Amino acid sequence: MAVREGQTATLRCAFVGLTAQSVVFWEGPPNFAVISTGREVDPRYTRHRITGDPARGEYHLEIKDVDILEEGGYRCSTLGVTEKAEVNLNVVVPMKKPPRIKGRDVTYTAGQPMTLTCVATEGNPLPRLRWFNATKLLQQTSENVMAEVVSSVSLDLVIPEVARWDHGKNVTCVADQGYPDLTTTMASSTILNVHYPPIVRSRRQTLRATEGETLDLSCDVDSNPPAAVSWRKVDGDIPGNAENRGNELRLPKLSRSAAGGYKCLANNGIMPSGEGSITLIVLYPPRITSGFEDKTSALAGGEGFSLRCEAEGYPKPRVRWRRKGTKLYFDNPLEFMQIDYDMEGDYECVASNGQIRNAVRQTFVDVIGKPYINTVSLKVSVRSGDTARLVCEILSDPLPEETRWLRRGPGQQDKPVTASRRAGIRQEEKNSASGVTNTLVISHVGRSDGGVYVCETTNTFGTFQREFHMEVKATNTQAVVIASVTVIVLLVLFATIFICIAKRTGLSERVRREKASTPDLTLPRALPPLPSYMVPVGTDDVDDLELQDFKGTLKPRPPPRTDLEPYSIGLSYPSLMHPLPPYSTVERQRPDGEDNMVDSPYPEDPWETEVNESKGFVMPPSLPLKHRADKSINAITQC
């Protein structure tokens, strides 16, 4: 059991089966001296007393304000019981200050051995010592070597050969007494100071810079103590305008001669000195050296146009052509297999080497030749009575000397279109940067104005023609009248055909007969054939048998009766050769169509299944009774 110094410790002891004559003894330090007999405590132990319930055999030893001298083994026993209860009491005295590190202020040089000693002289029990680098446990020289001299303990941290990466390392000695609930861990730290020679690293092994720029060459130097840094050019002298700024060398207004290798030298008195290398490449922008003119002429319709562009620079530039204002590039030289007016415009020779500004030189490709008509829409639709506009877009350099409109007639005969030949015709002409736009305007167009028109233009290099097709459509009113007349004619035609077919097939006569025979009933479907027992043997004529359809079920029509309600319906068989018994009546007494069946006066079915060959009539078979009861309705059907 462990208890902190100054607290109360209770050592528990209990026996089972004690008698009134049993006596319990407590013994303790020093040398297991008797502390209590029964529940009486020796007067020398003023802070001790016996607690617990005697009836349950409890004899607990309570020690108040525990002192370090009361640490040791305790024993509880009674006469007649060989077994003894023993407990070891540890009195914990916390450390008042952290451990001390010897050698923490010593400076070490890389390559030399280093020893740090951690010493703890307080606390009970003495703490366990361990070395850490931040939170990482360091390898110990021996397994917690402790020297218990004058209540102290120590532990050495030995590094056989320190290195530059040990500089600045934070090492910590941790003292732990092993009772986290009673004490806190205490620690001491130190930062190692290691001297080492300079290490030089260049941020970039190769630098590229543009001629005329200001460039800083820099290197990183790692050393302790700090080193002095100098610069040297490998294959010549450093430019005279260079500025040495320690770890940086500034080269203002770079020239091509500044290119080459440079060395960064560092020395702090610890051998060897440090050295780093940098290679400088001076880039200069491309320059176009070709002597092509600012304007180049090409003949429309010609072949084999070519224009080459040359440029210099470092690295060697890539030369391409592009049309100004676009991102469409062409290879060098600029070549056109077939020349037309669409190729006319400004073109730029672009020389680039990927990392610095581009060199650009512009030339204008001037396409000259005979005119060309560039109109896209060559078909024009116009309604009768409206104004037609035929637009002829002409590309020409030089501009056309003459532009006229022709009307193409039969046999490819062209006649000039002028106001003298037809009133309401005029031409409108408008100049543009690339040519002329000539528009033929025809007012109050009629059907006779439709056809093929030709735009013909001429300049110094030749003549060019293009056809325009004009279609004259009817007005909206005319279209509506034509559509209405067409619909009426079709309807009359369909009605005539239907009447002819009806008369030919006799459909109308049958419909008239059926209406006359059944004035009050309409058959929703075709009538099925009669059952065999209702047709006389050897008789094919069944036209006299009158049938009636009730909700899809065929029944013979009965004769009229005057003794029933207006909705009564009877059954009769006027065409049968054999007399029938009285029929039953279906009374329709409810306005909603529900039926009440009236029982037949005959208790038995008068029909028999037999063949009366003398009369040639087949008797119908006996039919099973079928009853159906709908909700709130009593219905009985008998035949």
Side-chain angles (χ1 to χ4, degrees), residues 400-419:
E401 299 173 357
E402 180 186 10
T403 300
R404 63 175 183 163
W405 286 88
L406 307 173
R407 176 82 180 273
R408 181 155 292 173
Q412 300 294 319
Q413 295 181 358
D414 297 339
K415 297 181 179 180
V417 178
T418 60

Side-chain angles (χ1 to χ4, degrees), residues 28-41:
N31 301 323
F32 289 100
V34 177
I35 299 174
S36 67
T37 301
R39 307 190 75 82
E40 297 293 331
V41 179

Side-chain angles (χ1 to χ4, degrees), residues 354-372:
Q355 297 186 16
I356 52 179
R357 65 182 179 274
N358 300 335
V360 180
R361 185 171 177 181
Q362 178 178 314
T363 185
F364 179 76
V365 177
D366 184 21
V367 179
I368 59 176
K370 69 178 183 178
Y372 176 79

Side-chain angles (χ1 to χ4, degrees), residues 409-449:
Q412 300 294 319
Q413 295 181 358
D414 297 339
K415 297 181 179 180
V417 178
T418 60
S420 60
R421 291 179 176 270
R422 184 199 183 282
I425 291 181
R426 70 180 187 276
Q427 293 187 32
E428 298 176 355
E429 189 166 285
K430 181 180 179 181
N431 293 338
S432 63
S434 57
V436 176
T437 301
N438 189 289
T439 304
L440 177 64
V441 182
I442 306 176
S443 302
H444 305 291
V445 175
R447 288 186 174 273
S448 60
D449 293 323

Side-chain angles (χ1 to χ4, degrees), residues 419-587:
S420 60
R421 291 179 176 270
R422 184 199 183 282
I425 291 181
R426 70 180 187 276
Q427 293 187 32
E428 298 176 355
E429 189 166 285
K430 181 180 179 181
N431 293 338
S432 63
S434 57
V436 176
T437 301
N438 189 289
T439 304
L440 177 64
V441 182
I442 306 176
S443 302
H444 305 291
V445 175
R447 288 186 174 273
S448 60
D449 293 323
V452 179
Y453 291 80
V454 178
C455 177
E456 180 182 273
T457 180
T458 304
N459 71 356
T460 305
F461 290 91
T463 301
F464 189 86
Q465 289 184 344
R466 178 145 291 181
E467 294 181 352
F468 291 78
H469 297 263
M470 186 173 71
E471 178 185 3
V472 180
K473 297 182 179 180
T475 60
N476 292 335
T477 304
Q478 293 174 340
V480 171
V481 172
I482 293 175
S484 301
V485 172
T486 303
V487 171
I488 293 173
V489 170
L490 290 176
L491 292 177
V492 172
L493 179 62
F494 289 152
T496 304
I497 294 173
F498 179 77
I499 293 173
C500 292
I501 293 175
K503 288 184 177 182
R504 181 177 296 273
T505 58
L507 177 61
S508 59
E509 182 63 25
R510 280 198 310 188
V511 171
R512 185 188 61 77
R513 259 199 334 266
E514 291 176 358
K515 287 185 177 180
S517 61
T518 57
D520 298 329
L521 292 175
T522 300
L523 296 181
R525 58 180 177 174
L527 298 178
L530 294 175
S532 58
Y533 63 83
M534 296 180 64
V535 182
V537 177
T539 302
D540 295 333
D541 187 9
V542 295
D543 292 340
D544 295 335
L545 183 61
E546 186 176 7
L547 300 180
Q548 181 170 314
D549 185 358
F550 292 134
K551 297 186 178 178
T553 302
L554 291 175
K555 298 179 178 64
R557 177 179 294 279
R561 294 183 61 182
T562 60
D563 57 340
L564 297 177
E565 295 294 328
Y567 297 97
S568 299
I569 299 174
L571 304 177
S572 66
Y573 305 86
S575 63
L576 294 181
M577 298 177 62
H578 189 278
L580 296 177
Y583 51 87
S584 62
T585 301
V586 179
E587 297 278 345

